[in-house]
Amino acid sequence: MKKPFNGTDRMHELVMSLPDQLASGARTAGAARIGRAGGFDSVAVAGMGGSGIGARIAQGLLLDRSRVPVYACNDYDIPAAVSAKALFVAVSYSGNTEETLSAYGQARRRGCRIMAITSGGKLGQSAAKAGYPVLAVPAGMPPRAALGHLFSTLLICLERLGVCESQQRGLEEAVRLMRSRRRSWMAEARTIAKQLDGRLPIVYSTSRMLDAVTDRWRCQLNENAGVLCHTSSLPEHNHNEIVGMGRPDHPGRHVVVVALLDRETHPCTRFRLESVLDITNQAYQLAVRLESEGRSRLARIFSLVMLGDFVSIEVARRQGKDAMDIKRIDELKRRMAQKRG
Ligand code: F6R
């Protein structure tokens, strides 16, 4: 007898496919006609939610490596600094997200050089009609589960357009590492999910490169597992949030800290992390420290992304939540569409 459809199992399969998506997106972008390299003074990438996180990951990855500033835009408006000399990339899986369409409209009016990454929708239609390069990602997935396609398509376009050095080796290593480690990360995720059970997770980033990864953890815990999650960044946390820890009602028992660490985490930041737990008298009692794996930045970033995605699935299972179900987002989008008329 055919097994009934289970949204969480499907989401799990999609997380498993992340390395294959990375490889496939890179091939698509490698073969696409995207025009000449250079000729722009900044890059702005617009996208929301599951379509926006890839730009933020790329920003963290290229922080000290991009030849021009890279802006990640998650709003209706784009920064004033994005001028006619900018490259603008609109990323929307559905192609129908109103904030991204608004940013795209602004970029067109400013005369930016434009590209779109999408599975279709209004964005796909409009960009194709205007003659802008449209990089197609396969349809039929929840956008957040298509991160591999969306991210590597963007990254390889940026590489080909001269924004950064070749990313091929890092990408290949990331794909290899994820394929060889995915089963053991799944098992590790089960243990972490148990520690998160019934608690509010606070995910700490310990380097600028990891800020977007903590965001990915938060978004996946929100959407897949249906739980609230807070993120924080060290060392900045030590100059404000540390005072509020465990107050006003000492929720410590209900909070679990997940600290994401990387070999580029500053040694002083590591010391700060341990000191925080001590100074606050273990305000949050349980701390899970997770080190990235791999050699290249890309592999290290995606080792923590994939582990976090698995954790969100395991928390969903423990909560009895269908990881596919994001009814509240759908309802909000419906209301916004009604408002537009
Ligand atoms: C859904 C998801 C959402 C969407 C967001 C924008 O899986 O992750 O965060 O990504 O609502 O929609 P798109 O990606 O279609 O532009």
Side-chain angles (χ1 to χ4, degrees), residues 16-36:
M16 288 292 273
S17 76
L18 213 72
D20 314 306
Q21 292 185 29
L22 278 182
S24 152
R27 276 194 303 274
T28 306
R33 292 166 69 113
I34 55 171
R36 70 193 189 290

Side-chain angles (χ1 to χ4, degrees), residues 7-328:
T8 304
D9 287 349
R10 173 72 187 131
M11 189 57 88
H12 181 260
E13 277 170 22
L14 290 168
V15 173
M16 288 292 273
S17 76
L18 213 72
D20 314 306
Q21 292 185 29
L22 278 182
S24 152
R27 276 194 303 274
T28 306
R33 292 166 69 113
I34 55 171
R36 70 193 189 290
F40 42 84
D41 65 359
S42 67
V43 179
V45 189
M48 305 302 297
S51 292
I53 192 71
R56 301 225 293 288
I57 293 177
Q59 207 181 25
L61 171 76
L62 302 177
L63 200 59
D64 51 1
R65 295 185 180 180
S66 67
R67 298 199 177 102
V68 291
V70 178
Y71 303 105
C73 315
N74 320 106
D75 204 345
Y76 289 91
D77 300 315
I78 54 178
V82 179
S83 69
K85 288 196 191 132
L87 167 73
F88 177 86
V89 188
V91 186
S92 171
Y93 185 82
S94 63
N96 292 324
T97 297
E98 67 172 44
E99 299 93 317
T100 313
L101 290 171
S102 158
Y104 162 78
Q106 279 187 11
R108 288 189 77 174
R109 289 192 290 282
R110 288 192 200 169
C112 303
R113 177 173 169 184
I114 292 177
M115 290 173 38
I117 301 178
T118 182
S119 71
K122 290 182 190 153
L123 176 65
Q125 266 175 15
S126 162
K129 196 165 160 215
Y132 304 136
V134 179
L135 290 110
V137 290
M141 291 183 240
R144 62 189 178 286
L147 172 67
H149 288 294
L150 295 166
F151 172 80
S152 61
T153 303
L154 172 67
L155 187 70
I156 296 304
C157 284
L158 296 184
E159 173 198 303
R160 287 186 58 203
L161 294 173
V163 176
C164 54
E165 297 285 327
S166 170
Q167 300 296 314
Q168 298 297 339
R169 279 174 61 178
L171 211 51
E172 280 162 22
E173 196 215 343
V175 170
R176 264 197 320 273
L177 181 76
M178 291 159 92
R179 282 183 181 148
S180 66
R181 293 283 284 128
R182 55 190 163 189
R183 299 219 168 262
S184 40
W185 288 337
M186 233 168 71
E188 191 180 346
R190 244 174 255 136
T191 311
I192 299 170
K194 267 188 214 148
Q195 292 172 291
L196 264 57
D197 219 13
R199 295 189 166 99
L200 171 75
I202 303 190
V203 188
Y204 284 179
S205 155
T206 58
S207 77
R208 293 277 314 278
M209 186 185 89
L210 294 179
D211 284 353
V213 182
T214 57
D215 278 349
R216 173 69 175 180
W217 273 65
R218 177 174 53 75
C219 298
Q220 292 291 75
L221 281 163
N222 293 156
E223 292 182 70
N224 291 345
V227 297
L228 259 186
C229 174
H230 174 69
T231 54
S232 194
S233 198
L234 267 69
E236 178 61 21
H237 161 289
N238 296 172
H239 301 273
N240 33 66
E241 189 172 320
I242 186 172
V243 183
M245 283 174 76
R247 296 179 173 143
D249 290 327
H250 206 287
R253 281 178 298 122
H254 307 295
V255 175
V256 55
V257 172
V258 178
L260 304 186
L261 293 143
D262 176 70
R263 81 159 110 97
E264 283 184 70
T265 296
H266 197 289
C268 293
T269 303
R270 284 182 187 266
F271 182 77
R272 284 172 178 277
L273 176 68
E274 301 311 321
S275 303
V276 163
L277 300 171
D278 197 36
I279 290 170
T280 59
N281 204 13
Q282 306 287 320
Y284 305 147
Q285 296 187 352
L286 199 57
V288 186
R289 295 165 188 78
L290 300 171
E291 290 282 346
S292 63
E293 291 179 38
R295 288 172 58 82
S296 61
R297 278 188 179 178
L298 252 174
R300 277 148 44 212
I301 286 174
F302 273 90
S303 70
L304 290 173
V305 165
M306 197 173 196
L307 178 62
D309 282 13
F310 280 134
V311 169
S312 71
I313 303 281
E314 292 305 326
V315 176
R317 289 206 167 110
R318 297 183 74 84
Q319 300 280 324
K321 150 96 171 53
D322 174 354
M324 287 289 209
D325 171 13
I326 48 165
K327 284 197 196 78
R328 289 183 182 169

